[in-house]
Structure formats: C-alpha cells, structure tokens
Amino acid sequence: MRSKIVAGNWKMNTLPAEGVELAKNIVAGKGSVCECVHFIVCPPYTHLSEVAKVLAGTGIALGAQNCAAEEKGAYTGEVSAAMIAALGCRYVILGHSERRQYYGETSATLNRKMEQAYAHDLVPIYCVGENLEEREAGKHFDVVKAQIEEVVFNLTPAQFARLIIAYEPVWAIGTGKTATAEQAQEIHAYIRKVLSEKFGAAAAETAILYGGSCKPSNAAELFAKEDVDGGLIGGAALKAEDFLAIGSNGFGK
Ligand code: 13P
C-alpha cells in the first residue's frame, strides 16, 4: 500500500508569524481529514524552527523547499541538509521547476543535493515536469524520463526506497490550469514504468504526487487515479482550510 500524501509548498510566502498561524490552523483542523493522509508542510527556511514546534507530536511532518549541494563551508547564503535536518525536517523538495528555471539547477547539481539529503536522513521530494512548449510538441514523456534517468537512476535501491516523486507540469503551476486527471494518470503511470525498468518491483511502492493548480475542487478526481498518490500543493497550501479540504476531498474525512 502506497502512502497517501498531501504536501504543502509554501514557496516564498508568509512572514514567520503568519506561517506559525497557518501551521496552527492546519494542526487544529487535521481531525477533519482521514487519518490515512500523511500531511507534510514545507515553509521557507526562516520559519522552520518555529513551525517545527507547532507540528511536534501532531503527526504532520516538516520539510524544506531546497538544500545546498555542499556539506558545509564557504557558501554564502546557502543552507545545508544537515541544518534543516537539525531543525526537524524529514523531507526536502528538490528539483522544483522554479529552482530549475530561475536558479539554473541542473541534474548535476541535483545529484549532489540528493546525496546531501540522503546523507542527513532526509526524504527527497524530487520534482519533474515539462513546460508548455514541450507538452505541445509531445515531448513531455521524454523530458520527464530524462529528469528521472539523470538523477533518480543514480540512487542505490536503499535510497530509492526513501524517495517521493512529484510530477508538476510547469504550465499548470500557479496558472489555474490543472492537468486533467487522465493526463496526470497517463504520465504518472509512465513515470512508474520508467522507475520499474531500473528498480523493479520497488517502483510499485513509490509515492508519485501531482502538483499544479491542485485545489479542493479537483483533488478527488485527481487522487482517484491509480498512480496519483496525492499532491504537492502551492497556492492552496497557504489557506489551512483549502489545504485540509484537499486531503479530505481527495482521500476522505
Ligand atoms: P500551485 O499549486 O500554486 O499551482 O503550485 C504547485 C507547485 O509548484 C507546488 O510545488
């Protein structure tokens, strides 16, 4: 049985006190959602320590949105995997399209970030997805396959067993334009097939999340698909009510 996961990527939103409030509201409302749902929240680095205190003992897990590719040292402005792990993070989002697009993250960088994450017992939420041009040219399968082969295929079986994948089509992120449930299922099943070619039966256990304008009104349809194991939520994760409703609409109360 694969985990059912609803993860919130807050991106660069909320001030620390607002983040604490948001986390408190998520904790307060969690009882309205099936216990089968594993919630993860990924606030900005600056909020991690305070949000960790709010989440302690609630079953809601903490993640970061990124980590450095290096262990430690003279890397001004970077935050290491060891640092976020020390603050209570269990997860780290890596390879988000915004990092690839605006900060030039390549597979070479991401391989090093993945190593750092595993070295500090973090579970990477590795993001893949095509842009609009690639989708329209029918290249989405090839794009996603390359993003997996160049990074995930370098993992050991033990590392792979501790990996979450998020499929986030760039054209659906923050645009209000969601992939249809059929489009999501088609590519999620393809991703699982690619993973199984390298890792065999273990691929059947990998949680593959959908991300891109996921909201309470479309969660049920998306999460009903066989290979869609939950969502990585941006905008709708900034309202506790919506974030929780994605869990309850998608997986039950
Ligand atoms: P939106 O839910 O705002 O489209 O963002 C999705 C995303 O990028 C999550 O990582």
Side-chain angles (χ1 to χ4, degrees):
M1 255 301 257
R2 290 193 290 270
S3 317
K4 302 178 195 318
I5 296 170
V6 176
N9 174 8
W10 295 4
K11 307 193 181 182
M12 195 171 74
N13 292 298
T14 71
L15 292 175
E18 294 165 340
V20 165
E21 197 57 29
L22 175 54
K24 282 183 180 165
N25 289 335
I26 294 169
V27 169
K30 184 178 175 274
S32 65
V33 186
C34 173
E35 278 192 16
C36 59
V37 179
H38 181 51
F39 281 109
I40 304 169
V41 298
C42 305
Y45 290 138
T46 45
H47 308 16
L48 290 173
S49 151
E50 288 302 311
V51 171
K53 291 179 197 159
V54 176
L55 300 183
T58 66
I60 300 176
L62 187 66
Q65 298 172 21
N66 186 25
C67 70
E70 299 79 18
E71 174 72 30
K72 62 175 169 181
Y75 301 101
T76 302
E78 287 295 280
V79 174
S80 72
M83 292 171 187
I84 61 175
L87 291 183
C89 287
R90 271 181 56 204
Y91 297 89
V92 60
I93 298 171
L94 290 177
H96 192 282
S97 63
E98 288 150 16
R99 300 292 319 168
R100 295 178 191 261
Q101 192 180 339
Y102 306 139
Y103 303 97
E105 286 195 2
T106 60
S107 293
T109 315
L110 288 167
N111 279 312
R112 294 166 55 224
K113 292 190 174 197
M114 294 283 264
E115 279 306 316
Q116 284 300 315
Y118 285 114
H120 295 283
D121 286 330
L122 296 162
V123 174
I125 302 175
Y126 179 67
C127 304
V128 299
E130 80 287 353
N131 63 31
L132 184 60
E133 202 179 304
E134 291 159 344
R135 166 68 62 165
E136 285 175 345
K139 291 187 185 151
H140 43 296
F141 294 109
D142 291 345
V143 169
V144 162
K145 185 176 191 200
Q147 290 168 334
I148 290 173
E149 282 178 348
E150 290 169 12
V151 177
V152 178
F153 278 21
N154 297 325
L155 301 180
T156 64
Q159 289 172 330
F160 177 70
R162 288 168 43 76
L163 176 72
I164 296 172
I165 301 253
Y167 167 68
E168 302 204 308
V170 179
W171 47 271
I173 296 177
T175 58
K177 194 169 186 270
T178 321
T180 64
E182 288 69 32
Q183 283 173 323
Q185 170 57 26
E186 181 185 41
I187 199 143
H188 281 224
Y190 175 76
I191 290 169
R192 200 176 302 286
K193 181 170 120 340
V194 170
L195 294 173
S196 72
E197 281 160 11
K198 171 78 179 175
F199 295 102
E205 303 301 320
T206 308
I208 306 178
L209 313 183
Y210 168 80
S213 299
C214 188
K215 42 190 183 254
S217 59
N218 58 27
E221 204 184 342
L222 285 161
F223 300 175
K225 293 294 180 187
E226 189 185 337
D227 289 291
V228 180
D229 303 308
L232 180 55
I233 321 300
L238 297 172
K239 267 194 179 169
E241 199 186 339
D242 287 353
F243 185 58
L244 293 163
I246 287 172
S248 56
N249 293 359
F251 294 119
K253 295 192 194 286

